Amino acid sequence: MGERRNYSDGYWWSKDGLRLHYRDYAGADDKPPVLCFPGLTRNARDYEVLAGRLAGERRVLLVEFRGRGESAYAKDPMSYVPLTYLQDVEALLAELAIERFVAVGTSLGGIVTMLLAATDGAKLAGVVLNDVGPELDPGGLARIRTYVGKAVWHPTWMHAARGVAEGNADVYPGYGIEDWLRMAKRLFRVNSSGRIVLDYDMKIAEPFRVPGNEAGPDMWPTIDALKGKPVLIVRGERSDILSAETAAKMLARVPGAKLVTVPGVGHAPTLDEPEVVAAIERLLGKVTA
């Protein structure tokens, strides 16, 4: 028997005709829903624990960007850029008639959240930016470019877990094999040949390899657009994407924003850490209907 699902699958269409996917966890309709946007090579499964915790109290939607998970792959790989993901999310908001929501964005998902703040900030009832800001550390971007788009497969889940451990030991130094196995099952899927492969279109790497395509030319105005909203910035203490200096500048520009630094973790925290769970609860407590 499979694991009992506590969500339904939802689909919407992009402007250029792609069928895109999200997970929909039911919740109270008198509160703004929570929309979760994953990182560059990630998918809805990254947010399973967070969604399971919030579901019932709030509706939670786990969005899969084009080229990831169950969302269709793009015909044009140069559409794998933040401005296109922004347009895709705007199409979803229109489809579901969502007027206000709480955005949770990890890495790339946080860039899309910041762009949403700049273009349609009135819809944002609260924001969680996970290990990302308007300035991205060049060292971390260089590291990501070394692996994104490289096809990897494994014969068993234990092989996949060991492979993930080898590549991420510095990010999560406290992880054991069960943790790596859980991460592998979020990153990989079983293909039609029975191989365990990465669950994204390898072509997402093509625009990412061009410097400047990671975000907009100047993202600091998007941070200014968050003023007056409940904002939580989460940073891994060992992060090579969001520096402590950039996080401090973000706090200075958004009065009332909160920062939680997760000790001993790199890019990016999982949002399951106790201090982050408590901070998200406090943020949601500030979000009015």
Side-chain angles (χ1 to χ4, degrees):
M1 286 183 63
E3 190 175 319
R4 191 177 74 83
R5 296 191 349 171
N6 55 344
Y7 63 88
S8 59
D9 290 304
Y11 298 89
W12 86 102
W13 293 92
S14 70
K15 288 182 178 179
D16 56 344
L18 295 182
R19 187 175 185 249
L20 306 178
H21 171 258
Y22 63 93
R23 289 187 180 186
D24 191 345
Y25 292 74
D29 58 9
D30 61 341
K31 300 173 183 173
V34 176
L35 270 69
C36 299
F37 306 121
L40 179 68
T41 63
R42 313 302 281 260
N43 55 66
R45 297 191 294 279
D46 262 6
Y47 288 109
E48 287 173 330
V49 175
L50 177 65
R53 193 166 56 244
L54 299 180
E57 282 290 316
R58 292 178 183 272
R59 184 184 186 188
V60 185
L61 306 178
L62 309 186
V63 175
E64 290 187 321
F65 293 135
R66 58 176 59 208
R68 284 81 164 175
E70 294 180 48
S71 284
Y73 289 12
K75 295 181 180 67
D76 176 10
M78 296 313 286
S79 72
Y80 289 132
V81 291
L83 286 175
T84 309
Y85 305 136
L86 170 67
Q87 293 171 356
D88 292 345
V89 170
E90 288 173 334
L92 173 63
L93 296 174
E95 172 82 15
L96 299 180
I98 293 174
E99 293 298 325
R100 287 181 82 239
F101 65 96
V102 176
V104 180
T106 295
S107 199
L108 169 64
I111 291 170
V112 174
T113 299
M114 290 186 283
L115 292 172
L116 276 166
T119 58
D120 203 359
K123 281 189 165 67
L124 292 175
V127 168
V128 179
L129 296 176
N130 183 21
D131 217 57
V132 68
E135 290 180 19
L136 307 177
D137 190 301
L141 292 175
R143 176 182 58 81
I144 292 170
R145 289 192 184 100
T146 64
Y147 69 77
V148 66
K150 290 188 176 179
V152 175
W153 70 273
H154 299 282
T156 71
W157 282 113
M158 193 55 69
H159 283 90
R162 288 178 179 139
V164 172
E166 287 173 11
N168 294 274
D170 289 343
V171 179
Y172 307 105
Y175 270 22
I177 192 62
E178 289 300 320
D179 301 301
W180 295 121
L181 192 56
R182 276 192 293 272
M183 178 173 280
K185 291 190 174 182
R186 291 175 178 175
L187 280 167
F188 290 81
R189 63 178 171 83
V190 180
N191 71 6
S192 57
S193 302
R195 289 180 170 183
I196 296 167
V197 297
L198 288 165
D199 198 8
Y200 68 87
D201 184 357
M202 295 300 111
K203 292 181 180 178
I204 69 170
E206 292 186 23
F208 187 77
R209 290 196 181 110
V210 180
N213 275 343
E214 310 90 4
D218 180 9
M219 295 290 287
W220 280 107
T222 69
I223 292 298
D224 295 332
L226 295 175
K227 289 177 181 175
K229 303 179 187 297
V231 174
L232 171 64
I233 302 161
V234 179
R235 179 179 178 269
E237 182 186 34
R238 301 161 64 101
S239 176
D240 60 356
I241 288 291
L242 177 61
S243 70
E245 292 75 17
T246 297
K249 285 172 65 178
M250 293 164 72
L251 284 179
R253 289 178 78 136
V254 184
K258 304 298 182 186
L259 171 66
V260 172
T261 300
V262 182
V265 167
H267 180 76
T270 61
L271 306 183
D272 304 337
E273 301 88 357
E275 59 268 58
V276 179
V277 170
I280 291 175
E281 290 293 336
R282 287 194 295 270
L283 179 136
L284 292 175
K286 297 176 184 175
V287 174
T288 55

